[in-house]
């Protein structure tokens, strides 16, 4: 059975919003465009950000944004 990789609490929700907003700012696009890329066009939100929350949220903003940009590149996700 697959683990439940959905947002479990307000800290995870805040972190997801932080990730989306900061990736959007780095790319110069609106946050809703990044949200769609992370949810509708890929599984980056529930397949990467949420499961890796415990590790990712301890990193710097720059590290997190660059890490997510690399994940997007690896999965051919564009905004």
């Amino acid at each position: 059975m697959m683990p439940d990789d959905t947002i479990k609490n307000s800290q995870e929700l805040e972190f997801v919003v932080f990730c989306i907003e900061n990736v959007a700012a780095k790319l110069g696009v609106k946050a809703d465009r990044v949200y769609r890329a992370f949810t509708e066009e890929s599984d980056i939100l529930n397949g990467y950000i949420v499961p890796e929350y415990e590790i990712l949220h301890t990193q710097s903003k720059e590290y997190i944004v660059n890490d997510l940009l690399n994940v997007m590149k690896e999965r051919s996700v564009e905004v």
Side-chain angles (χ1 to χ4, degrees), residues 61-74:
K61 179 174 93 171
E62 184 179 19
Y63 177 92
I64 293 165
V65 169
N66 288 333
D67 186 56
L68 290 172
L69 292 174
N70 286 333
V71 171
M72 290 171 69
K73 188 174 182 180
E74 288 168 9

Side-chain angles (χ1 to χ4, degrees), residues 2-49:
M2 294 291 292
D4 180 15
D5 290 328
T6 57
I7 296 168
K8 295 169 190 63
N9 56 50
S10 60
Q11 288 87 6
E12 287 186 11
L13 178 60
E14 287 174 19
F15 182 70
V16 166
V17 171
F18 169 87
C19 290
I20 291 168
E21 288 181 343
N22 283 286
V23 168
K26 177 84 172 185
L27 296 175
V29 298
K30 293 183 184 264
D32 66 317
R33 181 69 196 94
V34 174
Y35 174 77
R36 284 197 310 275
F38 283 3
T39 57
E40 296 170 16
E41 298 164 28
S42 72
D43 70 338
I44 291 173
L45 193 144
N46 286 322
Y48 184 75
I49 296 172

Side-chain angles (χ1 to χ4, degrees), residues 15 48-60 63-64:
F15 182 70
Y48 184 75
I49 296 172
V50 173
E52 300 300 326
Y53 167 77
E54 291 299 327
I55 296 164
L56 282 175
H57 87 281
T58 64
Q59 304 299 318
S60 69
Y63 177 92
I64 293 165

